[in-house]
């Protein structure tokens, strides 16, 4: 991974500086799709921006943040090709890359600390997708997309 899209709402913005710093320390180029202050905004806007950047290939992967990570991940997962995973600890972050090849992780600003977010981002970024038996399952997810998405 090299070019990473980040996006958040007001509930997730508390994590964004730490996440950007962690990504840059890993050597990633970060593209920040907002939001940029603590004014109340609607998380689907930012979930969509980051998901479209990843699905189009403009960015290699993404990190989303809202209060829980849930609403913004649900939004991103409505974009074909996106596998956005809420991760609340390092184990989930590593496993969702190794098994699900998550191209977006979603974090909760009201759930984890900025320091925990940095550890999670590092674990996800550094882990490698294992392929093999897991690819069959990702293909099955793609089949569901093809059945129900335009
Ligand atoms: C905003 O108050 C909050 O609902 C949002 O950040 C997120 O937690 C939704 O899933």
């Amino acid at each position: 991974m090299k070019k990473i899209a980040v996006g958040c709402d007001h509930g997730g913005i508390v994590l964004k500086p730490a996440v950007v710093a962690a990504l840059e320390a890993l050597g990633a180029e970060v593209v920040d799709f907002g939001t940029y202050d603590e004014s109340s905004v609607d998380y689907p806007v930012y979930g969509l921006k980051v998901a479209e950047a990843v699905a189009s290939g403009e960015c290699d992967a993404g990190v989303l943040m809202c209060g829980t990570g849930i609403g913004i991940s649900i939004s991103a997962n409505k974009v074909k090709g996106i596998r956005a995973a809420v991760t609340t600890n390092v184990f989930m972050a590593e496993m969702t890359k190794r098994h699900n090849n998550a191209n977006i992780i979603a974090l909760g600003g009201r759930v984890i600390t900025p320091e925990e977010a940095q550890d999670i981002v590092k674990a996800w970024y550094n882990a490698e997708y294992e392929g093999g038996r897991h690819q069959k399952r990702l293909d099955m997810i793609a089949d569901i997309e093809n059945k129900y998405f335009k």
Side-chain angles (χ1 to χ4, degrees):
M1 290 188 280
K2 286 192 180 116
K3 195 168 176 182
I4 307 295
V6 301
C8 65
D9 74 355
H10 54 288
I13 199 166
V14 64
L15 301 179
K16 194 164 73 171
V19 165
V20 170
L23 288 167
E24 289 179 344
L26 288 160
E29 177 187 351
V30 176
V31 184
D32 184 351
F33 286 89
T35 188
Y36 303 108
D37 62 44
E38 293 184 6
S39 311
S40 182
V41 291
D42 299 318
Y43 58 78
V45 171
Y46 302 94
L48 178 61
K49 283 176 191 280
V50 167
E52 285 183 334
V54 175
S56 70
E58 176 189 344
C59 291
D60 299 306
V63 180
L64 287 169
M65 297 148 275
C66 68
T68 58
I70 296 171
I72 207 160
S73 65
I74 292 172
S75 308
N77 277 318
K78 299 302 179 189
V79 175
K80 191 172 182 178
I82 293 302
R83 293 177 303 280
V86 176
T87 51
T88 59
N89 59 47
V90 163
F91 177 74
M92 292 171 73
E94 184 180 334
M95 294 310 290
T96 201
K97 174 69 84 60
R98 287 174 54 186
H99 287 191
N100 315 125
N101 201 16
N103 48 14
I104 292 178
I105 55 169
L107 310 174
R110 298 169 186 158
V111 179
I112 59 172
T113 66
E115 293 73 23
E116 288 169 332
Q118 290 188 316
D119 290 341
I120 287 168
V121 165
K122 285 178 204 166
W124 166 73
Y125 190 95
N126 285 330
E128 290 191 10
Y129 175 51
E130 291 176 5
R133 70 186 189 280
H134 304 294
Q135 188 55 49
K136 174 189 164 198
R137 295 155 187 165
L138 297 194
D139 290 343
M140 291 170 74
I141 293 172
D143 288 345
I144 297 170
E145 287 181 330
N146 289 328
K147 183 173 179 183
Y148 288 103
F149 285 23
K150 275 190 193 169

